[in-house]
Amino acid sequence: MAVSEPTETKPVVQPATIGADVAAGTAAGASDIDAMLPRRRSRLLRFGVPTAVAGIALVVLGAVVMTEGTTWVRLSMIGAGLLAAYIGIDRVAKAVFGATFDTGLWMAAGWLALITLSAAFADLLPLSEHEDVSKTLTVTPMLTPDLLSSHPLGTDSQGLDVLGGVIYGARVSLVVGVGATVLGMVLGAAIGLVAGYLRGIVDAAVGLVGDAMLAFPPLILLLAMVAVLEPSIFNTTIALAILTVPTYIRLTRANTLLFAQREFVLAAKALGAKNRRIIVRELLPNVVLPVVSYGVIVVGALVVAEASLSFLGVGVQRPTPTWGNMIAAAQSRFESDPHLVFIPGACLFLTVYALNRVGESARAVWDPRQREL
Amino acid sequence: MKRTRKARLTIATLVGGLLLTACGSSSDDSEEAADNGPAACTEANIGGEASMATLSQAPGLDPVVNPGTGGSGGNEVIALYDTLVRYDQKSDEFVPVVAKSLEPNADSTEWTLKLREEVTFGNGDPLTAQQVRDSFARHQDPDNRSVDYLASLAVTEMDVVDDLTLVFHLDESWARFPTLLANMAGMITNSSVVEQQGENFNTAPTGGGVGPYEVEKFTPGEELVLKAKDDWWGGPVCIQTLRFVTVAGGVQPAYDAFTNGDIQLAFLRGPEVIAQAKEDGAAGFSTVDNAGYTIVLNHENGPTAEPLVRQALAAAMDPEVINERGYGGKGRPSSALIDKDSVLYDGLEGPKADATEAADLVKQAKATGWDGHLDLPCQNSVEANNVCLAMKAQAEAAGMTVKIEPMAPNDFITKVHVDRDFEWAAWSMPLSDADPWLRLSAAVGTDGARNAGGYSNAEMDAALTALRAAPDTAARQGALADVQEVWNETLPALAYGANENYVVVDDSIKGLQESQYSQVYFDTAYIAD
Amino acid sequence: MLRSLGARLLRLVPVLFLVSLGTFFLVDLVPGDPAVAILGSNATPEQYEAVRAELGLNESVVTRYFDWLGDTLRGDLGESLTPPTQSVTDLIQSRLPVTIQIATMAMLISVTVSIVLALAAAYRPGKVFDRVTSGTAFAAIAVPQFLTGLLLIFFVLFHTDLVRWFVLVAGIAGAVLIAVRAVGGVTDHPPGNERVRAAAIRAVLALAVVGFAVLLFARFPEFPRQGFTRISEDGLWPSLRDAFLPALTLAVAEIAIFMRLLRNDLITTLQEDYILSARAKGMPPWRILVRDALRPSSFSLITVAGVALGRLMGGTVIVETIFNLPGMGTLIVNAIGAQDVRVIQSSVLVIAVFYVLVNLLVDLSYSQLDPRLRRGRV
Amino acid sequence: MSDSSTLRPTESAPQEDGAPDAHVAPQQASPALLEVRDLHTHFKTPRGILRAVDGVSFTLEQGATLGIAGESGSGKSALVRSIMDLTAANAIRPTGHVIFDGRDMTEMPRWEARHFWGPQIAMVFQDPMTSLNPVKRVGAQLTESMRHHLGLSRRDARSRAIDLLHQVRIPEPKRRLDQYPHELSGGMRQRVTIAIALACEPRLLIADEPTTALDVTVQKQILELLASLQEAHHMAMILITHDLGVIAGYTDRTAVMYAGQVVEEASTTTLFDEVRHPYTNALLASIPRVEEASHVRLEAISGRPPDMTAPPAACRFAARCRLAQDKCLTDAPTLVQDGSEGHRFRCFYPVGTGDGVNALKKNLERGSSAAGLPLKSKVTS
């Protein structure tokens, strides 16, 4: 029986998969493992820093310096630059914070923070006029973006500032998205908790109404509701909130059922606690986290829904800017002025992406049913 | 038969000059167009099919239901019924086609219509004076809700002289009476088919018209397919199948579909897309509606009932600015009633825009107790919204406050036209060169059918009566000058530009003819190889 | 199982009743004057009044609802209000197949593509292919449908050359990648016939990819900007071609959702003991992936795809609007615009019935996939 | 199964590469069926690299039975899964050598290695509830490896499957083939997985805690079954368990694993008679013995195994060891051989030696081990 002492060996990289491993040691796989070993950090930094710098330089070049270039060349430069910057920053971040650092998640959170802060403090920013058309009569409409001018992202057909538009548009999108989610969540969670806890006829009735609401084609329900309510920020919020209620009822109910049979609830019952107390004190704290973490994703969906409504012409109306109505207004000029579609479109995309990203992470941590998977 | 053929060819060459005005309204390239092949359909060119995009679907195929403008059903019914006479933009004349002639008496109060012998309906019935009389009477029946209902009431009596002769007796002198017979009222329906089909006539009028096509398939909301008659009284019909579709989402998708080759003809409205089409070199027909873009002011109620407020608005609204912001600078801005390129143009000028004066007038109006606020109902389309924003911008720059009330198109019509519950609104008043009186009187004549502002002015009514009776172009120009003068003084509405309609046509399609309201006649059209 | 089916069908009745009630009163609340929808802007006040009286709008809401309900239960959906009036049954009969076709095509595209992508990603999780597809999928989910549609039109129709070159380059790159992989991949097969066969399969695959790309490059199909040809009109191919871009617009996000879902489920399943057993039996990896892992991993996919199909039946509004398709979405949107109560009512009811039925089918399909449920319920 | 050779593939496909063949004598002189040399299996985890198996070596003779014992988390499952190349997706490729029948499987291309899984080495998993595919019929799961590896026709495979079910003593074998796993009882399922493992007549059977998930009454039946099948088929076997009691009756040799390493290894009888490693000792103390009075308290091992993302550089058991001295906290003991043949252990102060006794005495005097583990006075060592 041969016995040998373990020797210090460098592990060969091979994430074991069921596939044949012909790709052992490919760049992506290798760098991850490398990152775990301190001595690889410098190599990571050596690759990451220049890539990030080059990427940012490319973006700046495309966005600011090359004002004469064709839009497509500039856009692809900006795109390539952003990609390079991401890869570079990812490497640097992994070197600094450790290999398990989720750069994408932090960037998503950073974007949300940026968009939320700038929307919240938009009034303090040195932006050109974004809404009051009477003040832009002297402004040339349809200015092309020039990052160094007072209209960094150009102007629209009314001479309104596009940068101001997307920032104030973020305000509408976020207020509507978050507002509707919170409203729908509170309503749906309350109903779902009671239904899931009491069961019986209440549960059956709630289930029936929920089923009926879900059977309604959502966008059509929305169109009809908006037609009834007239388009405004408040009414759009209400309509979207109503739309999310049945989903929240289902989610909360399912989570409530999960917890209602747990010992601590049974114990509280045995101790003679009142239903209200059990629901509020015992069930609610347990149900709230999964419901809220799902809410982050719902915000994203509702931001899209609001934009879709604006796109169909029945959402919040100009001159109040929203991403949806900015895209809709520029749609017919897509060919000549693609940036008017791409800028609000990119904001919409990034925000929804970031919300999904953060929401998924939140759910992975907080939703017990999600964790089971 | 031979005579008819000749008549059609005459029309074709006459109107052919309007063919393919690719860039702007110049008609210099008519020769060039004629070089590309025969002017009209011949036996040798029979075959093929064409699709056309319209603005909105035809609400029906019965002329008393159809609104009869090129963008919303006019072309479809013209292919089915043709018109007794056609309007030729270039010569500013009416040309008889289905009719043999249409002649007035000295003061244009009696019009004698003579029909051709050979004209028959799709079911073989001959076209008789009695049929024309019955058909015209359907427009005069209020239950039928014809768009020409009020105009057709100008005819007080119709005398059937013989099988082929009908005399129209009018209540007053109307020099441009043929304009009525060049549109819906001139599309003759076969009374026996109407009776036989009953309610279905609106969707299945087979055999009921004298036009070159019959309905093959009508799927409302989707498409209308027409099939050429193989034994049409007027000779061979070349394009065998015509397909009309409505492209949702406005004219840009329609034009995209045209450039993509989905469709061969498209009705375009809106300066930007038309400018794009012309830049792209797409051939087509252009029709300019004078004062197609106007802002109607409520004369009965609200702040705009005050002349001071109206003057302030007139001074504040600069057509150039609305053009810049609403139409990307591609429109035909003018505050005058008649477009510069119109045959009727004679140096008319509308109210002048002056921002300082506007601010001054607002100040004065406010001094009388007005709070300076105006509500602005607005259709919830991007195009309408842009115009409303330009209006709001200028009004607010003059010191007013404006709240835009967005609403669905139907609600907008309800608010402005039906309920008249508005202060000011963008409301089109397109005046055709053929007879500006017809719509002008409806819009600003006392108790006019489309007089949403409730405007009433004796001088204006007198000027309109003179316009109606004006026998020739010069007389009409003179009458219009009087109208403009009263207009500038009393401001029934504010014009901010002419509206252009453009029917883009694929290069392969030749021999099309055009009439008023951007309607296209397909009878002489053919598809070149 | 029959009993549970019966119970579920019975449950549909109150659900549909609530849907009809909801639609009716919601539509009734929508402001506006159907008379204007019918007459347009050229009528006189008397004419509008006449139409309103004709429509019986002066009756009470409750009376109108029960009149409508009675007629519907008798199978009579009535006539549309706005001209040209026609039978609502005919209208729905002509529109529903369009929506069903688009939705079905979208589902077929998304399910097929997502299964292939998910299998390929789960084959080597954490590798470049997996990271790129998973990342792209996450991004694709965040693109709103209307933006997808606009971009597809912009590129596929009006910058066709860009797309053609992209297809060509991507095709060649894909083939090269397959070829490079093949060099390493074939050594995973025993030498001799098996290895030759494996190499041949890869070569054919690479050639097929290049061939397809070249074919697309040379003869890129001409998609219409708008409109639709029914299968009954011009046969299958024109109809599929017309429906392709709209279906793709719908499919993009669904592919992403399905792919992520299935990939994650596959990876979870691949950690199961029975997959280890299969590996311990020396089964080849693809065989394990397809024969052992796929079926037990597909339950959530079936649920989500089923819900999506049900949703698409009534949710193709945006795509139908962008591509001008005569489906249920545009029918209802136009009917809302025209306040055509009868059309809205009946269409929404039909869509709701579809949604509920599709969901029912999904539930039933579980038992086909999972034998534990099949016997368990008897 | 007297004539096992008929079940070998008639055409042994990769002849030219020297593929495994039961009838060809191994190229090397070593009689060992399996030799594991310095095997390391590491996993990527959010907390860092987890060293699940950290330098394990052992050999297994033809037809012999090796027991591997240890607490859960000691790396014994990871060890056998590394041998079978079944590690999870976050595993870093194992280093070291797994030599089966003279062939180094770690250097083999996968396709070749796959010819070993099944026909040469088979595995029975802990939980029969999860190791059978719930959506596949028993028959399909039983026959697929025979059809794949042995090229049997559907009919032949089916009749052999019936035979196999018979061997593992499942009643009505024909009917079982068309059933789904959920229709069988737990013990029956484990019999099915054993039948599956036996399908291709492997020379080595790895049983990873085969009885842990089963009722006590069934446990013994399964162990007996395994033993008799091993005998009948002349198989070698690795039996993994956390229960040294199981090992006692069924294995020739036993290796005890702790924190990714083998801490003691000997023939099973030697191990039970001359325990050297304090960990083994503690494990033995935790086995209930029939001969002892029921009131005697079982000794639980206090403390928890070390964090394997950062195992101590010294003795890994020191923190929980009653004998731990200062040296144990600074130096890592190596596997050393004791007097009796093949008895190896990894300890500076082995139990039952003078060093060990002194160490314990010292610790008892100060009331705690060098690592600070508090000790009560009365100990049976």
Side-chain angles (χ1 to χ4, degrees), chain B residues 57-60 65 67 141-147 149-150 199 202-203 217-223 243 245-249 252-260 262-263 408-411 413-414 417-420 427 449-450, chain C residues 30-33 36-48 50-52 54 79 82-86 91 94-95 98 153 157-158 160 222-228 230 233-234 320-322 324 326 330 334 337-339:
Chain B
Q57 75 152 325
V65 174
D141 180 352
D143 288 348
N144 278 335
R145 308 158 193 161
S146 162
V147 284
Y149 167 64
L150 282 180
E199 276 188 9
N202 193 32
T203 48
K217 196 176 122 209
F218 185 29
T219 330
E222 201 180 332
E223 62 172 2
R243 201 178 289 269
V245 293
T246 303
V247 178
Q252 187 66 42
Y255 180 65
D256 288 350
F258 172 81
T259 51
N260 193 41
D262 304 5
I263 49 175
N410 282 336
D411 298 338
I413 294 171
T414 307
H417 176 61
V418 181
D419 297 343
R420 296 187 177 182
W427 182 255
R450 285 173 60 85
Chain C
V30 173
D33 185 353
V36 172
I38 292 170
L39 291 178
S41 61
N42 287 311
T44 61
E46 300 78 42
Q47 289 175 326
Y48 289 118
V51 168
R52 277 180 217 125
E54 209 174 285
E79 301 242 307
T82 42
T85 52
Q86 51 188 325
L91 209 53
S94 100
R95 298 301 193 94
V98 178
I153 289 173
L157 295 183
F158 296 106
T160 315
E222 285 181 17
F223 296 108
R225 164 66 184 79
Q226 54 82 44
F228 188 77
R230 287 184 170 74
E233 287 167 29
D234 265 347
E320 285 178 24
T321 309
I322 292 178
N324 194 34
T330 41
N334 291 338
Q339 276 110 29

Side-chain angles (χ1 to χ4, degrees), chain A residues 291-306:
Chain A
V291 170
V292 167
S293 54
Y294 177 65
V296 181
I297 293 170
V298 173
V299 172
L302 293 189
V303 167
V304 170
E306 185 275 321

Side-chain angles (χ1 to χ4, degrees), chain B residues 9 14 99-100 109 139 210 214 219 313 354 380 409 433:
Chain B
L9 283 174
L14 197 76
K100 193 173 176 182
T109 51
H139 291 274
V210 300
E214 287 285 15
T219 330
L313 282 173
D354 183 337
N380 55 12
D433 281 353

Side-chain angles (χ1 to χ4, degrees), chain D residues 32-301:
Chain D
L33 179 66
L34 177 73
E35 185 183 350
V36 172
R37 256 189 240 149
D38 192 21
L39 193 70
H40 292 256
T41 305
H42 298 177
F43 293 93
K44 281 193 291 177
T45 71
R47 285 176 300 122
I49 292 190
L50 185 127
R51 297 153 170 261
V53 179
D54 209 9
V56 169
S57 305
F58 64 84
T59 35
L60 179 64
E61 321 290 336
Q62 304 247 20
T65 306
L66 171 69
I68 299 180
E71 286 172 294
S72 43
S74 61
K76 53 193 195 304
S77 270
L79 170 67
V80 289
R81 284 176 194 213
S82 305
I83 295 172
M84 295 294 283
D85 198 13
L86 292 177
T87 43
N90 61 338
I92 299 160
R93 180 175 202 147
T95 63
H97 300 273
V98 175
I99 298 158
F100 184 84
D101 202 17
R103 300 255 298 137
D104 190 341
M105 297 190 60
T106 50
E107 285 170 0
M108 227 178 256
R110 282 263 174 115
W111 65 264
E112 202 180 336
R114 273 204 297 277
H115 284 281
F116 280 80
W117 319 140
Q120 302 285 339
I121 312 175
M123 190 158 168
V124 172
F125 291 85
Q126 173 175 345
D127 188 353
M129 304 288 182
T130 57
S131 61
L132 288 171
N133 193 329
V135 300
K136 271 172 114 172
R137 289 175 204 278
V138 167
Q141 303 190 49
L142 195 45
T143 53
E144 64 179 352
S145 64
M146 289 187 268
R147 301 194 56 206
H148 181 76
H149 290 295
L150 309 180
L152 294 189
S153 72
R154 191 182 292 271
R155 242 182 54 204
D156 291 351
R158 198 175 159 86
S159 74
R160 174 155 164 76
I162 294 171
D163 187 27
L164 280 165
L165 289 182
H166 200 70
Q167 283 186 49
V168 295
R169 294 166 207 150
I170 288 183
E172 297 183 78
K174 231 176 211 164
R175 196 165 67 90
R176 303 296 174 196
L177 290 183
D178 294 322
Q179 287 185 321
Y180 286 96
H182 71 271
E183 293 167 277
L184 305 177
S185 71
M188 205 110 85
R189 282 187 228 184
Q190 195 62 304
R191 287 167 195 268
V192 170
T193 62
I194 293 171
I196 289 173
L198 292 178
C200 298
E201 295 268 301
R203 296 164 69 196
L204 169 62
L205 180 69
I206 300 177
D208 185 359
E209 307 222 20
T211 59
T212 309
L214 300 176
D215 288 345
V216 184
T217 48
V218 186
Q219 283 186 0
K220 199 165 153 56
Q221 293 173 16
I222 294 292
L223 286 169
E224 294 289 348
L225 176 67
L226 280 172
S228 70
L229 288 169
Q230 187 195 2
E231 179 102 348
H233 294 259
H234 314 293
M235 290 184 298
M237 183 156 85
I238 297 178
L239 185 62
I240 294 173
T241 179
H242 61 274
D243 183 358
L244 272 175
V246 166
I247 280 178
Y250 300 97
T251 62
D252 305 324
R253 288 190 70 83
T254 299
V256 177
M257 282 188 73
Y258 183 76
Q261 294 174 328
V262 172
V263 291
E264 183 162 11
E265 191 201 352
S267 73
T268 307
T269 43
T270 313
L271 189 85
F272 279 76
D273 293 347
E274 304 168 21
V275 183
R276 285 293 174 261
H277 199 279
Y279 176 64
T280 315
N281 195 38
L283 272 184
L284 281 173
S286 65
I287 303 173
R289 283 167 206 254
V290 190
E291 60 265 27
E292 277 183 20
S294 60
H295 64 268
V296 172
R297 264 190 65 216
L298 294 176
E299 292 289 328
I301 306 172

Side-chain angles (χ1 to χ4, degrees), chain A residues 237-251:
Chain A
T237 309
I238 299 283
L240 288 172
I242 293 174
L243 209 63
T244 61
V245 168
T247 321
Y248 271 116
I249 293 179
R250 282 198 168 183
L251 184 72

